[in-house]
Amino acid sequence: MDSDDAVRVRRVYDPPEEDDGTRVLVDRLRPRGITEEHAAVDVWAKDAAPSAELRSWYHQDRSGKRYDDFVDRYRTELRDPAHEQAVAELLGLLRQGGPVTLVTAVRDVAASHVPVLVEHLEHGLGHG
C-alpha cells in the first residue's frame, strides 16, 4: 500500500518503520517467535480477525480453492457483534488521523483475511 493510504499493511516480522503510526495486530493468535518489543504493536485487535472456526476451516484445504467462500464467510463475521466492536475501534483509530498500520503474521497476505478487513475498513470510512 502507498504511504498515503489511511490503512497500511505490514508483516509483523518486518521491522517497524517510523511512518507506521499506530500498529495494530489483526491476528487472533500471537505471532510465533517474535517478542512484543520487536513486534512494536500498539493495539491487538484479536476480534477483528476471523474466528478460530473459520480460520481452521480455511486452512484445512491448502489448495486455495476455498478463498472465495472464506471471504464471504469472513465478511459475514465482520458484521457480528464481537467483530463489529473491534471494527468500530479500528475505525475510531483511523478517524483520529495519522496512519494506522495493520500487522499480521500470515505469510501470504494477499490470500488472507487482511485484504478483506482493509476493504471493510475503507468502506466504513466511505472510501469504498
Side-chain angles (χ1 to χ4, degrees):
M1 298 196 131
D2 295 333
S3 60
D4 295 337
D5 289 338
V7 183
R8 301 172 184 185
V9 176
R10 298 206 198 289
R11 289 199 67 231
V12 71
Y13 299 104
D14 297 334
E17 296 187 13
E18 273 187 44
D19 65 345
D20 280 350
T22 303
R23 290 172 55 89
V24 181
L25 180 63
V26 292
D27 294 341
R28 188 159 296 277
L29 303 174
R30 181 177 301 283
R32 294 181 189 184
I34 190 167
T35 65
E36 287 184 40
E37 183 179 323
H38 179 77
V41 170
D42 300 303
V43 176
W44 187 1
K46 212 183 282 195
D47 288 331
S51 66
E53 296 80 15
L54 180 56
R55 184 179 51 79
S56 177
W57 172 84
Y58 179 49
H59 290 296
Q60 286 173 2
D61 177 15
R62 297 289 183 179
S63 71
K65 293 179 183 176
R66 289 185 172 184
Y67 187 69
D68 290 340
D69 287 336
F70 168 76
V71 168
D72 290 341
R73 291 178 184 200
Y74 181 45
R75 284 182 178 145
T76 299
E77 280 192 354
L78 286 170
R79 293 187 297 271
D80 74 29
H83 284 79
E84 277 185 339
Q85 177 63 34
V87 168
E89 290 172 15
L90 289 171
L91 288 170
L93 287 172
L94 288 161
R95 288 182 179 122
Q96 288 176 10
V100 172
T101 300
L102 306 182
V103 293
T104 182
V106 298
R107 286 188 187 124
D108 185 357
V109 174
S112 76
H113 67 290
V114 178
V116 182
L117 180 58
V118 169
E119 176 185 279
H120 190 78
L121 293 170
E122 288 177 344
H123 179 76
L125 292 170
H127 298 162

